[in-house]
């Protein structure tokens, strides 16, 4: 048997009686053709079995892959279980998709981001670093390749496009709310930030490798220290539900138990609510809990979660706009930060 030849753009052009450029425009620049002519081209292509221009050939001709490498600090399973990350990436994708760009997700490993070798070989036109630790080796690979870079949240790099949120202000608003309710025994629940490998109590004076952890901790303590409140800090071992629950039980098992917990994400706060329910601790009668992000589950948890709201969709949109600007050759704009606000719900009450 002879293998059937794959139809080409020339075959479609010959069948319709138009030029190769006209067939190409039907796929790549449809606004250049009338609806009638484009319809004729696409019908002829379907009859011939022509699926469209070869993406590999197109990338060779344009020196563009159409891919945006998104560098994550976590596994994909952990990433997709985080509503804040999902909302941000969805908004980013909605901005870049109409321009022919797609997201290439590179999951993180033990080094705090994707393996450097994987970034070196990724076929992408630009990189987006999503909440990476300071000094992540993947960023060295981005620099070595000369790829444009957009940072979402962290790390802070000179001369690099970035969008984040007002982490320190948000944390201060959360702590101030609880102080005004009369609380003086506090627990701070930090996301996995490698302060203490494997999670656990955080020693005084420790420094996190994540900018947002440092900023939120500074915001909390800036409000709490003048009140002479007692404060303990616990770090989650990871981003999974199990890791968060382990840290939550550790905080709630302290003697004396904190009357208020400041959680650096809604995911951690929801784990605290679950742990408190299992231990029979009433929220907010015996324990007040504040999260950070205002992700969708915060409003339907039991009780609904008091939290710090950041506009996650706006953050993703801004990141997408930064990507398009850099790909168009624009200069690097000044860093942007989305505002934050306190959303009071049923998980906080008087001490």
């Amino acid at each position: 048997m002879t293998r059937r030849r794959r139809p080409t753009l020339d075959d479609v052009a010959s069948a319709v009686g138009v030029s190769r450029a006209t067939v190409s425009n039907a796929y790549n620049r449809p606004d250049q053709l009338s609806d009638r002519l484009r319809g004729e081209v696409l019908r002829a292509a379907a009859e011939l079995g022509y699926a469209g221009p070869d993406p590999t050939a197109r990338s060779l001709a344009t020196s563009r892959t159409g891919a945006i490498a998104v560098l994550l600090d976590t596994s994909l399973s952990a990433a997709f279980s985080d509503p804040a990350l999902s909302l941000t990436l969805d908004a980013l994708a909605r901005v870049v998709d109409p321009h022919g760009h797609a997201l290439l997700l590179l999951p993180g490993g033990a080094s705090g981001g994707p393996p450097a070798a994987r970034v070196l070989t990724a076929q992408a036109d630009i990189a987006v670093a999503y909440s990476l630790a300071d000094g992540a080796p993947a960023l060295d690979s981005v620099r070595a390749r000369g790829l444009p870079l957009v940072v979402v949240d962290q790390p802070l790099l000179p001369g690099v496009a970035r969008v984040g949120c007002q982490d320190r202000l948000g944390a201060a608003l959360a702590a101030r709310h609880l102080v005004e309710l009369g609380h003086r025994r506090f627990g701070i629940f930090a996301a996995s930030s490698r302060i203490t490998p494997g999670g656990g109590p955080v020693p005084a004076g420790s420094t996190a490798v994540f900018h947002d952890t440092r900023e939120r901790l500074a915001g909390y303590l800036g409000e709490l220290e003048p009140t002479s409140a007692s404060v303990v800090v616990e770090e989650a071992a990871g981003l999974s539900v199990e890791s968060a629950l382990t840290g939550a039980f550790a905080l709630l098992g302290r003697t004396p138990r904190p009357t208020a917990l400041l959680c650096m994400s809604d995911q951690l706060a929801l784990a605290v609510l679950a742990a408190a329910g299992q231990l029979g601790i009433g929220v907010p009668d015996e324990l007040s809990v504040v999260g950070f992000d205002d992700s969708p589950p915060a409003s339907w948890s039991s009780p609904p979660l008091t939290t710090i709201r950041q506009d996650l969709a706006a953050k993703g949109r801004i990141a997408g706009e930064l990507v398009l600007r850099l790909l168009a050759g624009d200069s690097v704009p000044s860093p942007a930060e989305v505002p934050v606000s306190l959303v009071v719900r049923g998980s906080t009450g008087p001490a």
Side-chain angles (χ1 to χ4, degrees):
M1 295 178 63
T2 58
R3 185 176 179 180
R4 183 181 177 185
R5 185 177 68 86
R6 183 176 179 229
T8 66
L9 184 145
D10 288 322
D11 294 329
V12 179
S14 177
V16 183
V18 296
S19 67
R20 297 179 81 257
T22 298
V23 177
S24 177
N25 284 341
Y27 290 93
N28 301 319
R29 303 177 66 191
D31 58 305
Q32 300 297 306
L33 306 182
S34 68
D35 292 341
R36 179 193 62 79
L37 179 55
R38 183 168 187 261
E40 288 183 20
V41 171
L42 296 181
R43 278 193 297 274
E47 291 171 0
L48 291 169
Y50 177 70
D54 184 347
T56 302
R58 183 189 302 173
S59 66
L60 289 173
T62 62
S63 298
R64 287 285 180 90
T65 66
I68 300 165
V70 180
L71 317 182
L72 302 173
D73 182 61
T74 65
S75 66
L76 290 183
S77 60
F80 288 129
S81 68
D82 181 356
L85 171 60
S86 298
L87 284 170
T88 304
L89 290 187
D90 181 65
L92 191 162
R94 288 174 182 270
V95 171
V96 302
D97 181 72
H99 298 268
H101 305 295
L103 305 186
L104 172 64
L105 302 184
L106 303 182
S111 62
R118 181 68 185 90
V119 178
L120 284 174
T121 59
Q123 296 187 34
D125 304 317
I126 189 170
V128 173
Y130 185 94
S131 199
L132 296 189
D134 296 347
L139 297 174
D140 293 332
S141 295
V142 173
R143 284 189 286 268
R145 291 184 56 182
L147 288 177
L149 175 64
V150 173
V151 170
V152 178
D153 288 332
Q154 55 202 337
L156 269 62
L157 300 171
V160 171
R162 174 183 175 267
V163 57
C165 82
Q166 298 169 308
D167 290 295
R168 187 177 298 217
L169 174 60
L173 292 174
R176 190 178 309 156
H177 170 64
L178 293 174
V179 167
E180 291 172 350
L181 288 172
H183 293 277
R184 294 298 181 270
R185 293 203 311 273
F186 289 87
I188 295 174
F189 198 7
S192 175
S193 56
R194 304 188 192 96
I195 301 174
T196 55
V202 175
S206 300
T207 301
V209 295
F210 288 90
H211 172 75
D212 66 349
T213 300
R214 296 193 298 270
E215 286 293 288
R216 293 179 191 184
L217 187 57
Y220 294 142
L221 296 179
E223 293 292 323
L224 300 182
E225 287 175 345
T227 69
S228 299
S230 66
V231 182
V232 294
V233 183
E234 181 83 14
E235 179 187 358
L239 298 179
S240 68
V241 174
E242 294 78 9
S243 297
L245 280 172
T246 299
F249 281 121
L251 278 169
L252 297 179
R254 287 179 173 269
T255 303
R257 187 176 67 227
T259 65
L261 294 186
L262 292 156
C263 303
M264 291 193 186
S265 74
D266 288 347
Q267 290 287 86
L268 296 176
L270 294 172
V272 168
L273 294 183
Q278 293 183 41
L279 295 172
I281 300 171
V283 178
D285 295 337
E286 300 173 85
L287 177 72
S288 286
V289 182
V290 182
F292 203 115
D293 287 332
D294 197 26
S295 56
S299 62
W300 63 67
S301 63
S302 181
L305 183 65
T306 295
T307 189
I308 297 300
R309 183 177 192 274
Q310 59 166 314
D311 193 335
L312 298 164
K315 183 186 284 184
R317 286 196 301 272
I318 294 170
E321 290 161 2
L322 290 172
V323 164
L324 295 179
R325 289 179 63 177
L326 293 184
L327 287 176
D330 291 355
S331 59
V332 176
S334 299
E337 286 192 335
V338 298
V340 295
S341 59
L342 174 68
V343 180
V344 179
R345 297 193 180 102
S347 67
T348 52

